[in-house]
Amino acid sequence: MELRNHPPSEPDVPALEARALNLRRKMMGMASGKGEGYIAQGLGIADCLAALYFHEMRHDPANPDWDGRDRFLLSTGHYSIAMYAVLAEAGYLDDGELPTYGLNGSALPMSTFDETVGVEIVGGSLGHGLGQAVGMAMGLRLDNSSARVFCEFSDGELDEGSTWEAAMGAATFKCDKLVALIDCNGIQADGPVTVAIEPVADKMRAFGFETYEINGNDMAALVEALAACREANGKPKAIVLRTTPGFGIPTIMARERAHFVRVGNDEWDSLIEELERENA
């Protein structure tokens, strides 16, 4: 599957929604039986990853190191379950590898490593992704590359000063091929985000980003915002994604503590059935 001529002129929103559902199915299969994992965030970000990998980004699973590829950086490395799902759906990974997620010795650890095919950076030490994205965007510009850099990071990472330093750098150096994807799902390790980070969109605008704020689980809104970010106008771009942890499975969505979800062995089948029922 070669995607060098992406994006097409018109997005196929129902097809992208079907891809996002497939990602959620893969994630539930990976987590099933393990008793715990970072499943809620993965379910929440699935729509964004489907829009990127199957509509917006130029990439080639047959040639993952292709110089002309767009880069996707997952700063929140504990979202790895979603990263592996989209890499398998896109053809970078074999589906047969997915059940090894999180097991000792697996090539698919619970926090991403750049040794995994299709993974650009080591994620998990939060607050570093945007800085790496700015450096990557500047390097690509020096190489006269038309490649773009998409960097996902979380609202929790806005607690980190390094994120804001990187944001200032992106605007100062006019990194207009950089798109920051800020997953504002409202949760951190021990519960809700409590530091006063809002209004995120206004702050990104104040830092020099052309900024859009959308429902991150609305595929039509996602493809529209991504299309608006294509313009090379001297400004870095930001999309503030208001996502719901556990999206697609109401039982998980209703959990107050959803950062690291613990699931009893007897619950997996009913949760998977719920996913199918809600998306029938």
Side-chain angles (χ1 to χ4, degrees):
M1 175 172 52
E2 185 166 317
L3 302 175
R4 294 190 184 192
N5 296 320
H6 257 40
S9 57
E10 292 294 332
D12 185 340
V13 170
L16 292 172
E17 290 172 337
R19 290 284 194 179
L21 177 56
N22 282 345
L23 300 188
R24 292 185 170 101
R25 288 172 174 145
K26 282 179 164 59
M27 284 184 248
M28 292 303 290
M30 277 188 271
S32 180
K34 291 186 172 64
E36 58 190 13
Y38 297 104
I39 186 68
Q41 300 98 320
L43 294 170
I45 204 68
D47 300 291
C48 179
L49 293 184
L52 285 172
Y53 276 82
F54 300 103
H55 176 66
E56 189 66 25
M57 284 173 44
R58 296 181 304 172
H59 64 110
D60 184 358
N63 185 11
D65 296 324
W66 171 44
D67 286 343
R69 73 190 184 281
D70 293 333
R71 275 72 167 170
F72 173 71
L73 278 57
L74 183 77
S75 184
T76 45
H78 54 285
Y79 286 28
S80 65
I81 194 167
M83 186 83 226
Y84 304 145
V86 76
L87 289 176
E89 184 77 5
Y92 289 89
L93 301 176
D94 190 297
D95 277 0
E97 290 186 73
L98 297 182
T100 70
Y101 162 73
L103 300 179
N104 289 338
S106 171
L108 308 178
M110 281 197 176
S111 199
T112 50
F113 279 41
D114 58 358
E115 295 175 357
T116 305
V117 175
V119 175
E120 298 282 357
I121 63 169
V122 175
S125 185
L126 301 183
H128 294 173
L130 187 59
Q132 293 179 83
V134 172
M136 200 172 287
M138 292 173 67
L140 289 166
R141 185 167 62 195
L142 288 172
D143 289 339
N144 294 314
S145 173
S146 62
R148 302 165 71 201
V149 180
F150 298 85
C151 179
E152 178 279 337
F153 57 96
S154 65
D155 44 6
E157 289 182 79
L158 297 179
D159 293 352
E160 302 280 357
S162 56
T163 300
W164 295 109
E165 291 170 9
M168 284 189 285
T172 298
F173 298 112
K174 297 179 171 56
C175 296
D176 57 7
K177 289 186 171 63
L178 168 66
V179 181
L181 302 161
I182 310 170
D183 184 24
C184 290
N185 61 18
I187 61 170
Q188 290 181 275
D190 295 322
V193 173
T194 55
V195 174
I197 61 171
E198 297 293 351
V200 174
D202 287 346
K203 288 180 179 179
M204 294 305 294
R205 292 185 186 106
F207 272 71
F209 281 67
E210 184 175 293
T211 303
Y212 305 88
E213 185 170 13
I214 63 170
N215 176 351
N217 298 120
D218 181 332
M219 188 62 72
L222 277 162
V223 294
E224 182 178 355
L226 287 167
C229 290
R230 295 175 198 157
E231 185 179 2
N233 59 0
K235 285 188 173 186
K237 315 302 189 295
I239 304 176
V240 178
L241 305 167
R242 301 293 177 178
T243 66
T244 300
F247 189 84
I249 304 180
T251 297
I252 297 179
M253 292 167 63
R255 293 195 179 194
E256 184 176 351
R257 296 176 65 87
H259 177 76
F260 192 75
V261 175
R262 288 179 168 81
V263 178
N265 287 335
D266 58 336
E267 291 184 88
W268 286 108
D269 287 346
S270 64
L271 291 175
I272 292 169
E273 289 171 6
E274 190 175 328
L275 174 67
E276 297 299 334
R277 186 169 59 251
E278 289 294 316
N279 293 276

